[in-house]
Amino acid sequence: VHSTNDFNYIIDKIEKDQILRTNTGKPVSLADIIDQNPDTDIFIIGEAHDNFLCHTFQRDFIEALFKKYPKIIVGFEFFWREDNETLDQFLNGKITEADLINKTGWYQRGSQNYGLTRLIMDTLVKYRIKTIGLNVPRSILRTVSRKGFSQLSPEEKILFPTLDIPNPEHEYFIKSIFGTFAAQVPAWFDNIYAAQKCWDVVMAESMRQTLALDKYKGFKGVIIAGSNHVAFQLGIPFRYRKADPKVNITTIIPILIPEEKKTDASQD
C-alpha cells in the first residue's frame, strides 16, 4: 500500500503487508497515516474491486480514522447519488441488507461481489458512519462512451463542471491502459476517455458537494473507487482540486504483489 500527498514516485520494493509513504519511502502504520496527515480533508482509497485483503484494509483504515475523527463521510463508486436515502435507511437499521441490495439494484448494475463491500458496510453500520453514493446512472456514462459528451442533455452536462480542464498526464495514463488500440481507433478512444473523465468528475463532485453542506462542516471524507481513478492523483484527486484548490487530499492505493517463484535447488 502507498500513501502520498504528491505523485509520480517510483516504488522499488514493497514487502508483504507493508505500507509505504511514497514521498519518503519509509514504512508507516494505519495510525501513522492518520496522525501524519491531520490536515487532510479527503482520503481517497483506490481499490482492486475483487480483492479481499484490499477491502479488509479499507475497513480497518475507516475504523481507525473514525476513532480519531468521528466526523467522517464515506463515499462509494458502486453506489449512485440516488441511493443516498436507501443507504441512510440501512445504516439506521430501518431496512435489511437484502433490502439495500434490492433497492439499489446492486447485481442488476454489475457483477461486483457485495460480500466484499459488506466487510466495509458492517463497520459503517456499527458506528453509524454517514455513507453516500458517488456515481450517477451508468446510462449517462454509456451515452458518452458510445456517442460522445455532446450527446448529453444540458441537465446532464451540468453534472460534470470540471470536465473541460485538460490533464495530458491522465490522458496518457488511460491510453497506456488500452494500449495500441487507443491509437488505432482515435475517435473511439476520445469518447471512452471523455466517459472516464466524467466518471472521475462526478465522483469528486459528489463528495465535494456533500461536504460543502452546512451540516457536514468539519467532516473528513473517504472516497472508495477503483485504483485507475486514483493512481498518480490523475483522476478523482485532480478533478477535486480543480473544483476546490484549497482541499488537502491524501491518496492510498493497495498494491497486489505477485508471489515470487521459488527456485528449484536442483537447478542451482
Side-chain angles (χ1 to χ4, degrees):
V1 178
H2 76 276
S3 170
T4 179
N5 281 312
D6 305 300
F7 57 88
N8 294 346
Y9 288 91
I10 297 174
I11 303 173
D12 293 323
K13 179 67 176 177
I14 303 177
E15 301 297 334
K16 183 180 178 182
D17 298 328
Q18 188 178 57
I19 306 173
L20 292 185
R21 188 179 181 97
T22 54
N23 58 354
T24 64
K26 295 181 179 180
V28 292
S29 65
L30 284 178
D32 290 334
I33 295 174
I34 296 166
D35 291 342
Q36 293 173 14
N37 295 280
D39 297 326
T40 292
D41 303 302
I42 309 294
F43 292 92
I44 306 181
I45 306 177
E47 70 172 20
H49 297 314
D50 60 353
N51 184 265
F52 175 85
L53 292 176
C54 179
H55 287 76
T56 61
F57 170 83
Q58 293 167 342
R59 175 200 64 197
D60 295 343
F61 177 80
I62 289 170
E63 183 167 19
L65 182 65
F66 174 80
K67 290 180 177 179
K68 181 80 173 184
Y69 302 103
K71 292 183 177 182
I72 63 173
I73 297 176
V74 177
F76 285 90
E77 173 185 355
F78 284 103
F79 286 117
W80 296 354
R81 290 180 179 183
E82 63 189 48
D83 297 330
N84 287 348
E85 183 178 347
T86 300
L87 286 166
D88 284 343
Q89 292 172 345
F90 175 64
L91 291 166
N92 289 295
K94 295 180 179 179
I95 63 173
T96 66
E97 182 182 86
D99 292 330
L100 173 70
I101 293 172
N102 289 330
K103 287 189 174 185
T104 60
W106 181 273
Y107 286 110
Q108 285 71 45
R109 295 175 184 175
S111 58
Q112 173 72 9
N113 185 347
Y114 181 80
L116 296 174
T117 300
R118 178 189 291 126
L119 295 168
I120 306 167
M121 295 298 290
D122 284 349
T123 293
L124 301 179
V125 169
K126 177 180 178 180
Y127 296 110
R128 296 290 191 270
I129 296 172
K130 174 66 178 177
T131 304
I132 63 172
L134 299 176
N135 236 318
V136 291
R138 290 292 180 89
S139 59
I140 297 176
L141 301 177
R142 197 175 299 118
T143 296
V144 177
S145 66
R146 293 177 179 177
K147 302 178 181 179
F149 184 76
S150 64
Q151 298 305 304
L152 295 183
S153 68
E155 294 76 18
E156 291 170 333
K157 289 179 180 178
I158 292 173
L159 296 170
F160 312 102
T162 63
L163 188 76
D164 292 336
I165 299 174
N167 188 353
E169 281 188 282
H170 183 250
E171 183 173 357
Y172 177 83
F173 173 62
I174 300 301
K175 276 185 177 178
S176 70
I177 293 173
F178 287 98
T180 57
F181 194 66
Q184 293 171 345
V185 192
W188 170 86
F189 176 77
D190 287 345
N191 289 344
I192 291 293
Y193 181 57
Q196 179 75 20
K197 289 191 295 180
C198 285
W199 209 339
D200 293 335
V201 170
V202 80
M203 287 194 282
E205 282 297 293
S206 294
M207 182 61 76
R208 188 188 69 82
Q209 292 174 14
T210 300
L211 290 175
L213 298 174
D214 287 341
K215 62 181 177 179
Y216 297 124
K217 184 177 182 179
F219 277 61
K220 294 180 181 292
V222 178
I223 291 176
I224 294 177
S227 60
N228 286 340
H229 295 287
V230 185
F232 307 111
Q233 301 213 13
L234 296 176
I236 297 172
F238 176 88
R239 298 297 163 183
Y240 204 121
R241 287 192 176 100
K242 290 304 176 183
D244 180 5
K246 295 182 180 179
V247 70
N248 193 326
I249 296 173
T250 293
T251 60
I252 306 169
I253 302 181
I255 297 174
L256 303 181
I257 303 175
E259 293 185 6
E260 295 183 2
K261 294 182 179 180
K262 295 181 179 180
T263 303
D264 190 333
S266 64
Q267 297 178 345
D268 289 345

